[in-house]
Amino acid sequence: MAKGKDVRVTIILECTSCVRNDIKKESAGIYRYITQKNRHNTPSRLELRKLCPYCYKHTIHGEIKK
């Protein structure tokens, strides 16, 4: 049987303020976390403060599209 939309979905959280010395000198959103959210409780995009090892501080990580 085919399932409907799952209530719990896997999402990707990406750092919104990552800046690292690379080819372009700036590269937004380098570090990512994978987590789950309940679609009924949080229908909007999720934003959490998480540790970014590239920035060496707690920054806002926002939900991105897969």
Side-chain angles (χ1 to χ4, degrees), residues 24-49:
K24 297 179 183 176
K25 296 288 183 190
E26 276 189 2
S27 183
I30 293 173
Y31 198 75
R32 295 180 175 178
Y33 283 98
I34 298 174
T35 187
Q36 291 183 340
K37 78 170 186 179
N38 188 322
R39 196 178 298 183
H40 293 302
N41 294 341
T42 52
S44 60
R45 291 203 179 269
L46 189 64
E47 286 188 346
L48 297 173
R49 266 181 73 110

